[in-house]
Amino acid sequence: MAYTLDPEVTPLLQVGHLVKRYQGFTLDDVSFRLDPGYIMGFIGRNGAGKTTTLKLIMGLVKADAGTVAVCGQDFRAHELALKQQIGFALGETPFYPRTRLGAITSVYRRFYEKWDDAAYGRLLRRFDLDPAKKVEQLSAGMKVKYSLALALSHGARLLILDEPTSGLDPVSRDEVLDFFQELIEDGTRSILFSTHITSDLDKCADFLTYIVDGRIVASQSKDDFIASYRLVRGRRGQLDQAARTALVGVKEHQFGFTGLIRADDWTRLGLVGLESATPTVEDIMVYRGHGLAGDE
C-alpha cells in the first residue's frame, strides 16, 4: 500500500532546512514531515546524521539554521509546552546504574503534566519490568523497554526514538513493533524512529527518510522508496561503460555482478540481457555504500 501525506492535515512534525556544522561534518538542509497516524523509519549508516537530527529536533543541540514545528507550532517558541506532546528516548539509557527504576520514575514523572500512573503500570506489566530493580540489573533489552515505558506514559502524540529495538531479542523486538502499530491505530499519534534493523522497517514503517552524509536523499512512503530502484544481475562482460555509469552501486564477483539502478533509468536505458528484481530496503542501503554514479 502506498501512503501519501495530506496537504490539508497539520503535521505532527515538520522539519525545515535544518543545518548544523561541525568540524569535518555538516548536517545540510534536512527537511521532512510526519503526519498523524503514521510510523516513519529514519535510516542511514552510522555517522550519517540520524542522532544529530533527532537531537536538533528536541533542542538538545542548537541548529545553525532551519526550523522545527510540532503540532503546527514553532518548537523553539513553545518548547516547554510542546515537549509535553513528545515521548523521546535515545538508544543509551542515561541513568545511574545503582538507582532503582521506581526512584527514577518518581523524578521523571514530575516533568509531565499529564503523567498517567495507570498507563505506566500497564507498560511495566506488558514489558515485564520490576520497579524495585536497579538499572545495573537490567539487560540491554530491558533498559530499552524501560525507556519506552517512560516515553509512553504521559499522553505523548509524537514519539521520537533513537534505535528503540537495539539490544532486543527477536521475540521482544516483535512485541515492541506490534505495540508501535497499536499506538498509531487511532490516527492521533505518530512515531519517528531511527534504526539499522531493516526487518523492523519491513514490519511497521509507513514512510522512510534516508540520510546520507548529512543530507536527506529520500523521504517518501516505504513502497515508493523500494519501487524507485531495481536490483540487476549480469555476467562480467555485461558490465560495460553504459551499465557501470547507470548503476548507483555495484558489487562484482567471480561470475559477474549485482548492482542497484534507479527504476527510471532501468526503464529508459533498456539494458539488454540483465536480470532485474525488486530490492529490499537493506539492498538499497548496502549498494548505496558501494556507489559508482552517486544518487544525489
Side-chain angles (χ1 to χ4, degrees):
M1 178 180 178
Y3 292 83
T4 57
L5 293 170
D6 187 342
E8 297 184 359
V9 171
T10 300
L12 282 184
L13 176 64
Q14 180 89 53
V15 177
H17 310 291
L18 281 182
V19 175
K20 181 64 181 178
R21 300 180 183 89
Y22 294 102
Q23 185 175 355
F25 177 79
T26 298
L27 195 77
D28 185 20
D29 197 27
V30 169
S31 299
F32 59 90
R33 63 178 276 175
L34 178 58
D35 282 1
Y38 295 108
I39 298 174
M40 177 179 282
F42 192 29
I43 61 173
R45 65 188 304 169
N46 290 342
K50 299 190 300 298
T51 300
T52 298
T53 300
L54 299 186
K55 288 182 176 180
L56 286 168
I57 291 171
M58 291 298 300
L60 301 177
V61 175
K62 185 177 180 180
D64 295 321
T67 60
V68 175
V70 174
C71 301
Q73 295 183 291
D74 180 78
F75 184 77
R76 292 178 189 170
H78 306 280
E79 181 172 348
L80 292 179
L82 292 175
K83 279 186 174 178
Q84 299 290 324
Q85 299 291 330
I86 300 173
F88 178 65
L90 288 171
E92 296 293 329
T93 308
F95 303 127
Y96 292 112
R98 296 185 181 180
T99 305
R100 298 187 190 279
L101 303 189
I104 294 169
T105 302
S106 68
V107 174
Y108 191 90
R109 67 192 298 276
R110 298 175 191 172
F111 294 98
Y112 295 99
E113 299 169 358
K114 296 183 179 180
W115 179 267
D116 187 336
D117 281 322
Y120 174 69
R122 287 193 296 271
L123 288 167
L124 290 188
R125 291 190 292 273
R126 180 163 187 161
F127 293 152
D128 197 23
L129 290 166
D130 181 355
K133 283 192 173 183
K134 297 179 180 179
V135 173
E136 64 185 2
Q137 296 176 293
L138 303 181
S139 67
M142 297 304 282
K143 290 177 183 178
V144 171
K145 288 182 176 181
Y146 178 60
S147 292
L148 286 173
L150 293 177
L152 295 167
S153 295
H154 56 88
R157 294 184 62 200
L158 173 65
L159 301 181
I160 299 177
L161 310 170
D162 190 19
E163 303 284 357
T165 58
S166 177
L168 295 180
D169 62 78
V171 174
S172 296
R173 195 167 72 240
D174 192 64
E175 290 173 351
V176 169
L177 296 175
D178 283 342
F179 184 54
F180 285 175
Q181 291 178 305
E182 290 176 27
L183 284 171
I184 61 136
E185 281 180 355
D186 66 1
T188 64
R189 303 183 189 91
S190 288
I191 301 172
L192 170 67
F193 75 102
S194 69
T195 186
H196 62 276
I197 304 173
T198 56
S199 60
D200 289 359
L201 305 171
D202 295 333
K203 182 174 178 62
C204 73
D206 303 310
F207 291 91
L208 297 178
T209 293
Y210 184 24
I211 188 168
V212 176
D213 295 331
R215 297 182 62 194
I216 301 296
V217 298
S219 188
Q220 58 194 136
S221 77
K222 179 180 64 181
D223 293 343
D224 288 345
F225 178 73
I226 292 171
S228 65
Y229 293 96
R230 299 294 294 173
L231 198 64
V232 297
R233 299 180 178 87
R235 300 184 304 276
R236 273 187 174 273
Q238 293 175 298
L239 188 57
D240 56 18
Q241 187 59 38
R244 189 179 290 274
T245 300
L247 293 175
V248 171
V250 66
K251 294 172 72 174
E252 299 183 59
H253 49 82
Q254 181 179 356
F255 302 103
F257 71 93
T258 304
L260 188 73
I261 189 171
R262 296 180 188 178
D264 289 346
D265 287 340
W266 171 252
T267 302
R268 177 175 59 84
L269 294 172
L271 298 172
V272 178
L274 301 183
E275 299 178 9
S276 77
T278 301
T280 64
V281 174
E282 184 169 340
D283 288 332
I284 295 170
M285 294 180 67
V286 167
Y287 283 93
R288 277 295 310 257
H290 292 269
L292 287 173
D295 191 28
E296 304 302 333

